[in-house]
Amino acid sequence: MKKYWITLTYIVFIVLIIIPLLKIGSGAFSEGFSGWKDALIRPEAIHALMVTGLVVVVVTCINTLFGVMMAIYLVRSHWLSNKIKGFLNSIVDLPYAVSPVIGGLMIVLLLGPESIMGGFFENIGFRVVYAFPGMVIATLFVTFPLMVREVMPVLQEIGAQQEEAASTLGAYGWTTFWKVTWPSIQWAVLYGVVLTVARSLGEFGAVLVVSGNIMNKTQTATTLVYQDVENFNVIAANSVALVLAAISIGLLLMMEWTKRRKGVS
Amino acid sequence: MHIEVRNLNKHFGDFHAVKDVSFEIEKGHLIGLLGPSGGGKTSILRMLAGLEGLDSGEIRFHGKLVNALPPQERGIGFVFQNYALFKHMTVFDNIAFGLKVKKIPHAKVKSRVMELVELTGLKGFEKRYPHQLSGGQRQRVAFARALAPEPQLLLLDEPFAAIDAKIRQELRTWLRDLIERVGITSIFVTHDQDEAIEVADEIMIINQGRVEQKGTPWDIYKEPKTPFVATFIGESTLIDHISELKGFEEVKNDSGTRALIRPEYIEVGHEHEFILASATEAGIIRHLHFRGSEWLVEVEVAGHKLITYRSLEKETLSIGQEVRVLVHRAYLFNEERSWIMENRLKDVPIPIMI
């Protein structure tokens, strides 16, 4: 009996992960290396990859900064009552529960050209929805819990005493953070960064709704793959997908490495 | 540093952790805050350090109000219960931390750290990390780190709680000597009375957020001011009707007066061992426990079970034996007051004896 279960598990694994990955690879190179290259040097492909790259960089920076701060405030602050902390703590997980498409829709409803806030920004010449800022906000919404959830348990585990010790030795907040807190949380933060990069790289639903998927403007790598499939341009879709898959595998290896370091220190 | 605390109060939610605490500590003294766990000792210590805000009251260092000063500016050293060493720094960097923060020149930092390493007997361990040290060594690093910036006041939170019983003894003496040599005003928190009695110049007994008594270990032992202190310090037996014991007949039962009798207030032995045989009364040995250096004797007198010690040098008693018992004094208390009463028969010379 056990033998069959093992076989079945392997079959599921191969069908779900290995075969699609191989299919993407073979699809991308079905017309040889030049087919793959031609698909990638299309102006809209280069633009989409750049937009994705830019979104990843901006989102990762913002999410790292505010995620770490949020984690510190949730764990360390004395000025927040426990009730408020508990409430905020559960709110952080909201993006896990809400479908990204709904998240995107909320942003459109709140900041779209027809909304009050969106109209205000439009008037001062700052477009949010169907533009880059909206895509960043949508991706931030989706990735926000990742950093907080990585850093919080580490902060809880190390406790406040080392920081208190530093303060009795004359160190103020900034010095204490860099000299005492940071060395303890750095690997958790790096792990959070890798997760954020991976998640924002592959984000599709929220971005699709918010960006409007305008070619050479707001199209990202994932939405380009979607459009190529719609247009029966299979080779192009596979080529871009392969690039994304390759980056993801790279991130996965990095994740394993940081996870080990996180355990060590 | 001269320390003055006035009407200190602290609440944690609905819990009144520190109630109207006032005390004064003279420069250079070593004070032990002693009391049961959860009594507010650590809260007082943390408020002195500035790690915890206070609800009302005043804390003065050298006559200067420090209520609003953050811990960084109070000039204190704090040793945490679990040491809270910076785990990613070497022993050297741990000790140097407080000096580097103050932007002291590199050469001076090095000489000061080496001086402390020498003082705390950590020579040769400078390059080790905290996880490579034993509990006692970590403790020493924590002391050295706290002392490095030359604080005016050293605060220690249960400094020996996390250390093996054997090394604890050794560290106590070491700490006492060290603090004496440095000459720094120090306050330490403990729930271990032996530790407090052995190490401190003065003890403050803290219970349920209040200072029950402050004084030298000897004074507190000799003259406990409250029933709590009497029971907390030393050993004792609680007696409801002390008037049933010989020499204490005058004590009225109706006022709800109860008595505490310490083992060393009681003498037990054969009739010929007593000079004032008339003050003794009959008792029966119920139990004998060998305590290594003496016998612990449980003796029943007039229906009360009393506990006392007996020297190994004296004739060995046996269970069930009839002996004479002399109760020298008792610590009496009722709702209004508490006092110490000597055995009436012991002090008054009785004519028949002469």
Side-chain angles (χ1 to χ4, degrees), chain B residues 26-39:
Chain B
E26 268 168 60
K27 191 169 184 293
H29 271 215
L30 175 52
I31 306 291
L33 296 188
L34 175 65
S37 306

Side-chain angles (χ1 to χ4, degrees), chain A residues 162 164-171, chain B residues 71-72 76-78 86 94-95 97-99 101-102 144-149:
Chain A
Q162 287 186 50
E164 287 178 347
S167 75
T168 63
L169 290 167
Chain B
Q72 289 88 343
I76 47 129
F78 201 107
F86 305 131
N94 262 286
I95 301 174
F97 187 87
L99 302 167
V101 163
K102 292 204 168 71
R145 184 180 68 176
L147 289 173

Side-chain angles (χ1 to χ4, degrees), chain A residues 112-166:
Chain A
E114 277 88 58
S115 69
I116 301 166
M117 263 202 282
F120 170 76
F121 282 120
E122 196 98 346
N123 279 338
I124 58 169
F126 186 75
R127 200 140 203 234
V128 180
V129 170
Y130 310 126
F132 188 72
M135 293 155 70
V136 169
I137 294 172
T139 315
L140 271 176
F141 173 81
V142 174
T143 54
F144 189 66
L146 299 172
M147 184 61 76
V148 181
R149 286 286 167 257
E150 278 309 313
V151 177
M152 262 181 80
V154 180
L155 281 174
Q156 263 153 356
E157 193 199 308
I158 60 171
Q161 284 208 335
Q162 287 186 50
E163 288 155 27
E164 287 178 347

Side-chain angles (χ1 to χ4, degrees), chain A residues 47-91:
Chain A
H47 190 270
L49 283 167
M50 262 174 53
V51 169
T52 294
L54 213 55
V55 168
V56 167
V57 170
V58 174
V59 164
T60 306
C61 288
I62 298 176
N63 195 30
T64 304
L65 180 64
F66 288 98
V68 171
M69 267 165 52
M70 184 79 181
I72 289 176
Y73 290 142
L74 280 178
V75 176
R76 292 280 190 269
S77 62
H78 304 288
W79 38 267
L80 283 176
S81 80
N82 281 339
K83 266 186 199 156
I84 297 175
K85 264 196 239 179
F87 177 70
L88 284 176
N89 200 2
S90 46
I91 285 287

Side-chain angles (χ1 to χ4, degrees), chain A residues 78 154 157-158 160-186 264-265, chain B residues 46 49 51-52 70-73 76-78 80-89 94 97-102 145-147 149 157:
Chain A
H78 304 288
V154 180
E157 193 199 308
I158 60 171
Q161 284 208 335
Q162 287 186 50
E163 288 155 27
E164 287 178 347
S167 75
T168 63
L169 290 167
Y172 285 91
W174 196 242
T175 317
T176 303
F177 178 78
W178 285 114
K179 292 267 168 71
V180 177
T181 315
W182 177 253
S184 299
I185 61 168
Q186 55 186 356
V264 168
S265 63
Chain B
R46 289 176 61 88
L51 293 171
E52 204 80 68
Q72 289 88 343
E73 284 163 38
I76 47 129
F78 201 107
F80 290 85
Q81 190 173 347
N82 299 314
Y83 323 131
L85 296 179
F86 305 131
K87 59 179 183 174
H88 55 275
M89 291 186 202
N94 262 286
F97 187 87
L99 302 167
K100 284 183 181 163
V101 163
K102 292 204 168 71
R145 184 180 68 176
L147 289 173
D157 186 8

Side-chain angles (χ1 to χ4, degrees), chain B residues 125-143:
Chain B
F125 292 96
E126 302 95 320
K127 294 218 170 67
R128 297 247 188 130
Y129 284 89
H131 67 91
Q132 296 167 316
L133 300 175
S134 72
Q137 288 166 337
R138 281 181 214 178
Q139 174 73 293
R140 286 160 192 255
V141 176
F143 282 130

